[in-house]
Amino acid sequence: MPLPFSLSLLLLGLLLLWFSQRQTAGKLLASAGVLLLILFSLRPVSVALTRPLEQQYPPFPDGQKLAFILVLGHGHVSDPSVPLGSQPTRTALARILEALRLKRLNPEARLVLSGNISSDRISCAEMYARIAESYGVPRSQMLLVEDAFDTHDEMRRYAQITGGQPAALVTSATHMPRAMALARGVGLAVIPAPSDYVGRLAQAPIPVYGYLPSPRYLMYSQMAVHEWVGLLWTRLRGQSKAPALPRSITDMDQ
């Protein structure tokens, strides 16, 4: 990942500078670490890394009907001292809100909420369910998948649940290419419903300070690098070799 990788180069360079005679190597490593850290923290770099991922699939077409709305898990902290809407991560909140929007357009669709228990007393699926309940969705219209530990596990469970019926897949736009590849790998036909876009193009001039290094853009760059490496790993493991599947219900009917 960009941050630990850059810091590792910087630390190694400093160690060489302080405790060895390899001054040139130390300077090169330390300089490379600083340079990479700055580059990954710049808005243009983060957009260049995230946007090709996010633009592979269009937003969900609102006119399409669904039987299931599949929501990939992310993270949360069930701290009772903060409002419910502040307990999930920003990414998780964006996913469940997109799912609730699709649910409003498809009242008969069933919410399939996934996410295991990790570093918290409740699962991410349960956190999603509580948020959905707060928006008026009854538990009888939800199905929780709490025993999936990665996207591949989630796709295998979804394939068992949907039974070939029309289903939307809700996840982050940066994560959607890898999620769709894994869905194809298990023979699951889903319609992508990307959310939580971060590689957005400014529609007005950006202030000069907007081009300064920022931890926010470093985080976005890290998200993108994680997904690019994940796509490569998915292909190396042979988890996405199935033929391309349709992106719309119209195509599915053909």
Side-chain angles (χ1 to χ4, degrees), residues 125-159:
E126 174 62 27
M127 176 59 65
Y128 280 158
R130 294 182 183 185
I131 294 173
E133 276 188 311
S134 72
Y135 279 83
V137 180
R139 287 269 177 162
S140 60
Q141 297 179 14
M142 307 179 206
L143 176 63
L144 274 60
V145 178
E146 299 178 286
D147 58 350
F149 290 90
D150 58 25
T151 305
H152 190 235
D153 284 347
E154 290 171 315
M155 294 306 165
R156 289 188 295 183
R157 292 298 308 276
Y158 292 162

Side-chain angles (χ1 to χ4, degrees), residues 156-207:
R156 289 188 295 183
R157 292 298 308 276
Y158 292 162
Q160 298 169 356
I161 292 169
T162 60
Q165 299 182 71
L169 177 65
V170 181
T171 189
S172 304
T174 53
H175 182 51
M176 187 61 75
R178 183 157 62 100
M180 290 297 290
L182 290 168
R184 290 193 295 267
V186 298
L188 173 64
V190 288
I191 306 165
S195 65
D196 190 34
Y197 287 81
V198 296
R200 295 163 291 192
L201 295 180
Q203 301 301 299
I206 299 175

Side-chain angles (χ1 to χ4, degrees), residues 91-102:
T91 297
L93 184 61
R95 293 180 185 184
I96 188 61
L97 290 180
E98 175 65 10
L100 292 172
R101 186 184 73 85
L102 299 182

Side-chain angles (χ1 to χ4, degrees), residues 32-56:
V34 173
L35 179 61
L36 286 175
L37 190 59
I38 292 173
L39 285 175
F40 282 120
S41 301
L42 296 176
R43 185 181 189 277
V45 174
S46 73
V47 171
L49 288 171
T50 56
R51 194 164 177 81
L53 290 166
E54 295 183 339
Q55 296 301 310
Q56 290 189 33

Side-chain angles (χ1 to χ4, degrees), residues 15-16 18 20 30 57 85 94 111 127 150 153-154 166 183 186 189 194 220 229 232 236 253:
L15 289 174
L16 291 176
W18 280 93
S20 80
Y57 294 95
L111 285 174
M127 176 59 65
D150 58 25
D153 284 347
E154 290 171 315
V186 298
Y220 294 163
V229 173
L232 176 61
L236 290 175
D253 291 340

